[in-house]
Amino acid sequence: MNFTLIFQIFLLFFLVCAVGFCFKHKRASRIYGHFSKNITAVFALFELLTLISRGIENTVWIVALHIITIFFYLISGMLISRRLNQPSLPFIIYFTRPKKHPLPFGFYKIFRVIGVYALTVCLLTFFLFQWTHPQVASFLRDSLTSLNASKIHVELSSILIFTTVAFYEEIVFRLFIQGFVRFIFKKYTWNGVVAILFSSLLFSLGHFGILETWWVKFVQTFVIGIILGKLMKKYGMEISFAVHTILNIFALYTAPLLLQS
């Protein structure tokens, strides 16, 4: 079974859903239009510079696709979160409009939540990989080799890429897909559980093939997807993004230790 093709079909389907949702609720979507433009522009510039620094080909097409995806997912995802009465990007909204949108929780609690859950997902990854010692896929071996070269600019660009990947994935899987599925089944009490499980499953399919012992990566990403989904539902996307980024950086530097080359 071609899981990569299934994953791409789902992504295309949800992108069409996001665009359709924005046009269906055109007036309401305008509220987040300017906000989404600014975030998308910053992300696009950040990603463009990062990809150019790594010499990745077809950079313009990759960035263009991500611009379209992020723009519509941000607008529709934030609008859906508003209708579900759940946080979307509470910190960014707070810093742009603090009087109208106060934080629903304190900074101390947020740092504590990030610390606890980041430690949890990192330990889960460490013990799972230490127990199974999966083999890294061939297309990633060159990246690990370059990381071992201990070049500062290579390591910095790797961190930047892993950070942008985390931001992109949280917008796609948590802010929009999880929110959209929950919105579709909003009449049912189990809508939140189904939304988190479905987005976590799709999140796992998106990482299929990274490790040649496929079930290890599936278990890791599925469980972590559930954790990130719960954080998104309760605290908003910035918290799930922070935990996701910490995990990515942890995995980046422990990969030579935990994975067979």
Side-chain angles (χ1 to χ4, degrees):
M1 185 178 294
N2 193 335
F3 290 106
T4 303
L5 179 60
I6 295 174
F7 172 74
Q8 292 173 345
I9 291 173
F10 268 114
L11 282 190
L12 179 60
F13 168 76
F14 280 111
L15 179 58
V16 172
C17 290
V19 175
F21 191 88
C22 289
F23 280 99
K24 183 178 180 180
H25 304 89
K26 189 179 297 184
R27 181 176 296 179
S29 297
R30 290 174 183 170
I31 299 174
Y32 301 109
H34 183 69
F35 182 84
S36 298
K37 285 179 184 178
N38 292 336
I39 296 181
T40 303
V42 171
F43 174 84
L45 178 61
F46 195 74
E47 185 181 44
L48 183 63
L49 294 175
T50 304
L51 294 178
I52 290 176
S53 69
R54 293 302 294 263
I56 297 179
E57 298 179 357
N58 299 323
T59 297
V60 175
W61 293 109
I62 295 173
V63 175
L65 176 62
H66 287 178
I67 286 175
I68 296 172
T69 304
I70 289 177
F71 179 72
F72 285 105
Y73 277 171
L74 272 172
I75 294 177
S76 53
M78 293 181 71
L79 183 57
I80 288 172
S81 294
R82 178 184 172 185
R83 297 195 172 191
L84 292 173
N85 196 28
Q86 70 176 22
S88 55
L89 293 164
F91 279 94
I92 296 178
I93 294 175
Y94 169 76
F95 285 115
T96 53
R97 295 183 177 181
K99 294 182 179 180
K100 292 185 178 181
H101 301 279
L103 278 177
F105 27 72
F107 284 98
Y108 172 75
K109 182 178 181 180
I110 291 306
F111 286 122
R112 185 182 64 189
V113 168
I114 292 174
V116 169
Y117 281 95
L119 180 62
T120 300
V121 296
C122 288
L123 287 177
L124 170 67
T125 300
F126 178 82
F127 286 115
L128 178 62
F129 286 12
Q130 189 77 348
W131 172 51
T132 57
H133 279 292
Q135 186 174 3
V136 65
S138 57
F139 72 93
L140 286 178
R141 289 172 190 168
D142 292 338
S143 298
L144 294 180
T145 302
S146 65
L147 180 62
N148 288 330
S150 68
K151 296 179 180 178
I152 295 177
H153 71 279
V154 172
E155 293 183 3
L156 179 60
S157 62
S158 297
I159 292 174
L160 293 176
I161 285 180
F162 274 63
T163 302
T164 55
V165 166
F167 186 75
Y168 180 80
E169 289 180 341
E170 288 307 302
I171 288 177
V172 173
F173 295 104
R174 248 64 66 179
L175 181 63
F176 178 73
I177 293 180
Q178 179 177 312
F180 184 73
V181 173
R182 188 182 172 201
F183 182 76
I184 293 298
F185 297 101
K186 63 181 179 179
K187 294 182 180 180
Y188 303 95
T189 56
W190 40 260
N191 61 74
V193 175
V194 171
I196 291 175
L197 290 177
F198 180 83
S199 62
S200 300
L201 178 61
L202 197 58
F203 180 61
S204 300
L205 288 178
H207 292 80
F208 186 83
I210 292 179
L211 299 181
E212 293 182 359
T213 309
W214 70 270
W215 68 267
V216 177
K217 191 62 179 176
F218 180 86
V219 170
Q220 182 221 14
T221 50
F222 184 72
V223 174
I224 290 174
I226 292 175
I227 294 173
L228 295 176
K230 291 180 67 176
L231 290 174
M232 166 65 210
K233 181 182 176 183
K234 188 172 183 179
Y235 299 105
M237 198 203 83
E238 293 125 327
I239 308 306
S240 62
F241 162 67
V243 174
H244 194 160
T245 301
I246 293 172
L247 172 65
N248 279 2
I249 295 174
F250 171 81
L252 176 67
Y253 283 98
T254 58
L257 172 67
L258 298 177
L259 302 177
Q260 296 180 17
S261 57

